[in-house]
Amino acid sequence: MKPVQIRDKTFVVSISSEKIQHRVREMAMEISGDYADKRPIFVCILNGAFIFAADLFRALSIECEISFLRLSSYSGTQSTGTITNLLGINANLKDRHVIILEDIVDTGETAVYLVEEMKKHSAASVRFASLLFKPKALKHTIRLDYVGFEVPNDFLVGYGLDYDGLGRNLPDIFVLDK
Ligand code: 5GP
Ligand code: MG
């Protein structure tokens, strides 16, 4: 597959859309098995997780709901380390089984923050599902309940992930060419 140019950078394919689709369906089957009769509510973290959430959600075979939460900790290709711009959750999570949907866990900062936030809403249970996980970048202790792919500590775009706002529409996941 051809490399893609986004602004000043070149990216090469890392995970093909076929692989992603296959893995997302597997994750959906596993979650459906774990949450049968629990009517979970998924919380999709915008913007990055919207594509993952849309594919996973459609592959679930159980009764379930979805809500959306927005925050941001990134500018360019480096984490700024501070979480800003939280757009409040508009669903009642009290006594609900919550599954947070993230595109990627990098330092784990966002994941820790999100789990704490969900607990404040008195959820019955909180689990964390991320399509991608960078184990070498992790700086926090966090339990990831569902992970699509473990990836090296390199900057990725595509399938919802952006570089400076661009690249989210790519069906494959690309990595910065070194
Ligand atoms: P963390 O708080 O775990 O350091 O970062 C989580 C967020 O950083 C993710 O939700 C994602 O938005 C962003 N992020 C982390 N790694 C990457 C990456 O390789 N590419 C892009 N586009 N965003 C990333
Ligand atoms: Mg994200």
Side-chain angles (χ1 to χ4, degrees):
M1 217 171 303
K2 275 200 305 202
V4 294
Q5 181 77 26
I6 303 175
R7 300 201 196 273
D8 56 324
K9 301 204 186 317
T10 307
F11 294 87
V12 292
V13 173
S14 173
I15 311 172
S16 70
S17 74
E18 290 75 18
K19 267 196 182 167
I20 299 167
Q21 293 301 327
H22 183 258
R23 184 69 189 119
V24 170
R25 277 196 295 271
E26 279 181 352
M27 292 174 83
M29 276 166 60
E30 189 184 348
I31 293 171
S32 296
D34 292 349
Y35 284 85
D37 306 321
K38 285 191 172 157
R39 198 156 55 83
I41 180 161
F42 291 84
V43 177
C44 166
I45 309 305
L46 299 172
N47 296 329
F50 84 109
I51 306 259
F52 168 52
D55 282 345
L56 183 92
F57 198 64
R58 274 178 292 185
L60 294 163
S61 59
I62 52 168
E63 206 175 67
C64 53
E65 294 175 47
I66 191 162
S67 190
F68 300 87
L69 187 64
R70 179 165 189 185
L71 37 84
S72 124
S73 72
Y74 252 63
S75 69
T77 57
Q78 287 249 299
S79 178
T80 59
T82 45
I83 297 159
T84 55
N85 198 10
L86 176 73
L87 200 113
I89 191 132
N90 56 7
N92 185 3
L93 302 182
K94 190 172 169 352
D95 301 328
R96 299 295 305 274
H97 296 285
V98 175
I99 304 163
I100 299 166
L101 297 180
E102 256 289 32
D103 48 3
I104 186 161
V105 173
D106 185 45
T107 63
E109 184 91 16
T110 314
V112 166
Y113 173 80
L114 286 169
V115 171
E116 287 311 309
E117 279 299 302
M118 295 306 130
K119 283 184 187 158
K120 283 186 200 160
H121 288 266
S122 309
S125 69
V126 182
R127 282 192 182 180
F128 202 97
S130 184
L131 178 68
L132 302 164
F133 173 42
K134 293 180 179 173
K136 290 214 168 72
L138 194 66
K139 289 187 188 143
H140 296 266
T141 310
I142 169 102
R143 197 189 70 230
L144 301 176
D145 303 285
Y146 306 98
V147 171
F149 302 94
E150 290 195 359
V151 292
N153 198 5
D154 300 315
F155 188 75
L156 304 169
V157 293
Y159 198 71
L161 292 161
D162 73 307
Y163 170 48
D164 216 4
L166 297 176
R168 294 191 199 277
N169 56 313
L170 298 165
D172 311 278
I173 292 171
F174 289 76
V175 63
L176 188 61
D177 194 16
K178 283 188 286 196

